[in-house]
Amino acid sequence: MAWLRFVLMSLALWLAIAPASAQAPGKGPHVRIALIAETDHPAPGSEVTLAFASTPEPGWHAYWENPGDAGLPARAEWTLPAGASAGPLRYPVPQRLIIGELMNYVYEGPFAPLVTLKIPADAKAGDPFPVHVKLDYLVCTDQICVPEKAELETRLTIGDGAVPADRRTRFDGWRAALPRPLGAQATYQVDGKTFRLGVPFPAAASVAGEGYFFPLTDGAIEYAAPQRVVRDGDRVVIEAPAKRPAGPIRGVLAFGSLGFTLDATPGIVAPATTSAAGASDWLWTALIAFLGAVLGGLILNVMPCVFPILSLKALSLAKAGDAEGNPRGEALAYTAGVVLTCLALGGALLAVRAGGVAVGWAFQLQDPRVILVLLLLVTAIALNLAGLFEVPAPGFVNRASARGHGGAFMTGALAAFVATPCTGPFMGAALGSALILPRPAALAIFGGLGLGIALPFLLLGFVPALRRRLPRPGAWMETMRRILSVPMFLTALALAWVLGRQAGADGMTIGLGAALLASLGLWWAGRRQARGLSRAWLPALPLFLLALAAVVVVRPAPAGAERPAIAGAEPFSEARLAELRATGRPIFAYFTADWCLTCKVNEKAVIETRAVADAFAKGNVAVLVGDWTNGDPALGRFIEAHNRAGVPLYLWYKPGSGEPEVLPQVLSQSLLADRAAAK
């Protein structure tokens, strides 16, 4: 119906402008717009964000992408260099304005729609990159509407992609105003004349402000009619007078200035069982989630994904038991490394999500370049444990650790970076809540995860009775150190495999070549150390830096369909899930990633076993596999909809049931076989 609105609004404007022009408060433009690029020097093959920084004059307003009962959305016509493309306009959460019983979704103050501009990979450094856009938009007061045009231009130069600090701050603020991708697959139902929308939304998530649903799909609800928004357990229910909804609809669920984009399909939505909107006090919610994160981090110490770095912990614990050492300082330095790394990863995750990208926990391992860096790092650790070379902690690390415990600090940082990608019991729900809690509470939860990981080491450092139970330091430590290099070599092998899965055979070859080059440099440094030469690292350093430079040439492999390991399994998609649920079959949907050790252990020990395969075949169970190795955003949104921040996630859909059963992160063959046999 957008064309009909356009015709009616054009006719209304033609009738209104002539008699009202003398009353218009001055000449336009009545909305000042500036086209601003986040960087003036975008890199070839990169993406750059552009902002339409807009400021309406007092008394005037501009329109959201769905203007409501009246108004028109802005339209952009781009003129770009060959190979470049501009994405759709992304708007902040709008305001509501009722004029003459008509609902308008508008902006009465400064706002900034954002656009992502893709730079062609063959652009040459130093070349000019002009960007021109013609913008048509409508501005109104409560008495008159005026169509306006703006021809905007910015001249960029292909460069290194550097973003000035002041520009980054402005864009961070504009991104924070955009609705976040909730990822929840919502459902709506037309019950008589009532439109009822059910949105999965964790009860633990605290939000402020009155709830309101801004529909992006025209014709779903009566815009000007009041809405009833109710928090009902792990969902939000919105009721409004129905218009003529048909098929999937999209919209923004807003609480004050905080918005969440969502998609909804027709289905059955039960009325809310509670009558009061709102949420529990966020401090109490944050405390529960914090305790869950601490417990989840503690359990991570015995999860398979943490085993490779236990070797480093073992040597540090033995040193902490030395009466001549400083076990408390070691424990504090280690804890600081773990907690600060978890806070850094959590802060980066929140920042990326604030930019409108649906990512989850362990997002850093979805990039093959990060895997390559980890491969080099773990290879170096394995060679160090094997006695090939020694590396003292840098002086600034020692000073920062107060009493020379830089090694413990760096060990803690590595433990957090490698261990946190896995999701254990209690941890999944806690991190899922953190993604929609206020930022201070979310960071506290990430810090709680780090505290849980470091807790055993921290207790050993401060409780002498526990340290006395450890073996006394001695020659056995050198032997143990050599033995414990083996799991680190196995970890390096696993990382090479993950690199091959993400970047193909070429990427794996580059990674192994870089590891070989780094090993040669480390061997050279070790030989010079054994001879007592000063500056032993000087000739070997270029080799290691050259190995690290391989990060520049590693790229993700083209996406291709992988044949699932379990017979009869299919790649996950929400459309296929809906089709299978309609057949009445039980469904087992699991979400995995090649870099998730917990996932791989469950798959090899449980999911892909003959016993489970026979049980699934006998029970006619459909299996859907969601591969999140490279951070598929559609899978990320679906995972978030089930209050999880990462993988593994295991869902069991019983025929005729509503919501799926979320299975534990650690599976057993009997657990799956029992559900397959149940009727």
Side-chain angles (χ1 to χ4, degrees):
M1 301 300 290
W3 66 271
L4 180 59
R5 178 188 287 125
F6 178 79
V7 171
L8 294 176
M9 285 299 300
S10 299
L11 179 60
L13 290 171
W14 183 78
L15 293 172
I17 289 175
S21 59
Q23 304 173 20
K27 296 182 178 180
H30 299 294
V31 176
R32 299 189 304 277
I33 305 176
L35 181 63
I36 303 172
E38 188 167 15
T39 175
D40 295 326
H41 304 283
S46 67
E47 295 182 345
V48 58
T49 303
L50 305 177
F52 290 96
S54 308
T55 306
E57 285 185 355
W60 292 81
H61 57 262
Y63 288 93
W64 190 45
E65 51 189 314
N66 177 7
D69 285 319
L72 291 171
R75 292 180 295 176
E77 182 180 337
W78 296 89
T79 302
L80 302 170
S85 62
L89 291 168
R90 292 179 291 148
Y91 287 83
V93 177
Q95 302 163 271
R96 288 172 280 161
L97 178 65
I98 294 182
I99 301 176
E101 299 184 356
L102 297 179
M103 173 63 77
N104 298 265
Y105 298 142
V106 302
Y107 302 98
E108 297 181 289
F111 68 103
L114 302 183
V115 171
T116 299
L117 180 66
K118 294 185 177 180
I119 309 298
D122 58 358
K124 299 295 188 297
D127 286 353
F129 198 87
V131 176
H132 182 272
V133 60
K134 180 180 178 183
L135 200 64
D136 294 304
Y137 57 96
L138 184 70
V139 292
C140 298
T141 68
D142 57 357
Q143 295 180 343
I144 182 174
C145 289
V146 178
E148 293 187 345
K149 300 179 183 293
E151 295 203 19
L152 307 170
E153 186 175 19
T154 182
R155 291 192 167 273
L156 311 178
T157 303
I158 302 300
D160 58 2
V163 179
D166 60 337
R167 199 87 55 89
R168 185 182 300 278
T169 300
R170 294 186 71 185
F171 273 81
D172 285 347
W174 287 330
R175 287 192 181 96
L178 297 176
R180 305 177 185 180
L182 179 65
Q185 180 59 56
T187 306
Y188 75 87
Q189 176 185 0
V190 178
D191 186 2
K193 296 183 179 181
T194 300
F195 172 91
R196 185 180 302 117
L197 175 66
V199 183
F201 202 87
S206 178
V207 290
E210 176 190 5
Y212 188 86
F213 176 64
F214 292 94
L216 281 166
T217 303
D218 189 29
I221 62 174
E222 295 290 348
Y223 294 129
Q227 296 183 10
R228 179 173 179 262
V229 182
V230 178
R231 296 291 301 274
D232 184 36
D234 285 324
R235 65 174 185 156
V236 174
V237 178
I238 301 101
E239 292 183 351
K243 203 170 183 182
R244 49 185 180 279
I249 64 174
R250 298 177 58 243
V252 173
L253 174 61
F255 295 93
S257 61
L258 178 64
F260 302 92
T261 57
L262 60 88
D263 297 282
T265 55
I268 303 299
V269 181
T273 58
T274 59
S275 59
S280 302
D281 181 80
W282 73 268
L283 289 174
W284 175 249
T285 302
L287 177 60
I288 295 175
F290 174 82
L291 295 176
V294 172
L295 186 55
L298 181 63
I299 295 175
L300 271 183
N301 284 279
V302 296
M303 295 288 284
C305 53
V306 187
F307 179 75
I309 50 93
L310 288 180
S311 56
L312 298 176
K313 282 188 179 183
L315 294 177
S316 297
L317 290 174
K319 184 179 179 181
D322 187 353
E324 297 180 358
N326 181 9
R328 293 187 177 185
E330 286 279 312
L332 288 174
Y334 177 84
T335 302
V338 174
V339 173
L340 289 177
T341 301
C342 286
L343 288 174
L345 290 173
L349 172 62
L350 295 176
V352 172
R353 288 178 58 82
V357 181
V359 297
W361 191 242
F363 69 98
Q364 72 274 12
L365 297 187
Q366 295 166 356
D367 190 326
R369 293 168 294 186
V370 176
I371 297 296
L372 176 56
V373 172
L374 274 176
L375 172 61
L376 297 178
L377 182 59
V378 170
T379 300
I381 293 171
L383 294 173
N384 175 258
L385 288 173
L388 189 69
F389 70 96
E390 300 294 337
V391 53
F396 76 91
V397 174
N398 285 330
R399 289 191 295 271
S401 301
R403 292 185 62 87
H405 300 294
F409 179 90
M410 298 305 294
T411 301
L414 177 66
F417 192 75
V418 175
T420 50
C422 290
T423 303
F426 301 99
M427 177 180 157
L431 294 184
S433 298
L435 298 183
I436 47 180
L437 280 170
R439 290 186 183 180
L443 288 175
I445 292 170
F446 293 125
L449 175 64
L451 179 61
I453 296 173
L455 193 56
F457 195 72
L458 193 63
L459 290 174
L460 283 166
F462 278 82
V463 181
L466 294 176
R467 291 201 304 277
R468 284 194 291 269
R469 293 180 177 271
L470 294 176
R472 290 183 175 275
W476 68 270
M477 292 180 63
E478 286 301 313
T479 303
M480 180 62 69
R481 175 175 169 177
R482 303 298 188 267
I483 294 174
L484 290 177
S485 69
V486 175
M488 297 309 295
F489 280 119
L490 293 176
T491 302
L493 183 63
L495 287 168
W497 176 78
V498 172
L499 184 61
R501 298 274 292 182
Q502 290 188 345
D506 290 346
M508 178 186 285
T509 302
I510 293 171
L512 291 175
L516 179 61
L517 192 61
S519 300
L520 179 61
L522 296 173
W523 169 81
W524 191 355
R527 295 287 295 175
R528 289 173 59 84
Q529 286 176 337
R531 290 155 54 190
L533 299 178
S534 62
R535 299 181 180 178
W537 286 94
L538 195 58
L541 189 59
L543 290 177
F544 198 84
L545 293 178
L546 186 60
L548 198 59
V551 172
V552 178
V553 295
V554 171
R555 291 290 182 271
E562 294 278 347
R563 185 172 65 181
I566 185 170
E570 303 177 56
F572 177 88
S573 71
E574 294 188 55
R576 183 56 179 156
L577 174 63
E579 292 174 3
L580 289 171
R581 295 192 71 180
T583 66
R585 295 175 62 186
I587 302 168
F588 175 56
Y590 71 94
F591 301 84
T592 180
D594 291 336
W595 37 260
C596 172
L597 294 179
T598 307
C599 304
K600 296 297 136 184
V601 170
N602 280 328
E603 288 160 26
K604 297 304 179 185
V606 179
I607 298 174
E608 297 172 9
T609 60
R610 172 58 60 185
V612 170
D614 291 344
F616 280 3
K618 187 175 180 179
N620 194 27
V621 177
V623 180
L624 296 177
V625 184
D627 187 348
W628 204 44
T629 299
N630 293 322
D632 183 342
L635 290 181
R637 290 190 290 269
F638 188 85
I639 291 168
E640 290 175 33
H642 293 83
N643 196 25
R644 290 296 182 269
V647 291
L649 172 64
Y650 305 107
L651 302 176
W652 188 273
Y653 291 86
K654 186 178 180 181
S657 63
E659 295 298 317
E661 178 187 1
V662 180
L663 302 181
Q665 275 92 16
V666 180
L667 299 177
S668 67
Q669 294 182 21
S670 61
L671 183 146
L672 295 182
D674 289 347
R675 278 158 180 76
K679 300 300 182 182

